[in-house]
Amino acid sequence: MADDVDFADARIEKELASALAARVIYSGESALECECGEEISEGRRLAVPGVRDCITCAELSALRLRGVRRG
């Protein structure tokens, strides 16, 4: 018989699968410069192949996806 721990485990697995499916996967050649004009660091380009956004723009984009609005 299932107990609270089993239900929690199933929920965690479902949320993990959802988070993994929603992650951004880059491919191709990395950009040297973001559309905002900032240079994309070499470390970021090596860590995330195919990246197109600087860290600041990527963070702002992630916040927008979560529904966070800035005034």
Side-chain angles (χ1 to χ4, degrees), residues 3-52:
D3 61 3
D4 289 340
V5 174
D6 293 326
F7 291 123
D9 188 45
R11 181 173 176 170
I12 290 169
E13 285 185 29
K14 183 178 179 182
E15 288 181 14
L16 178 61
S18 176
L20 288 173
R23 74 187 189 281
V24 176
I25 299 173
Y26 297 97
S27 63
E29 189 174 330
S30 297
L32 297 176
E33 191 175 286
C34 181
E35 63 183 31
C36 72
E38 285 291 316
E39 179 182 344
I40 300 173
S41 69
E42 182 179 1
R44 178 161 170 74
R45 287 183 281 134
L46 292 173
V48 186
V51 69
R52 298 279 178 217

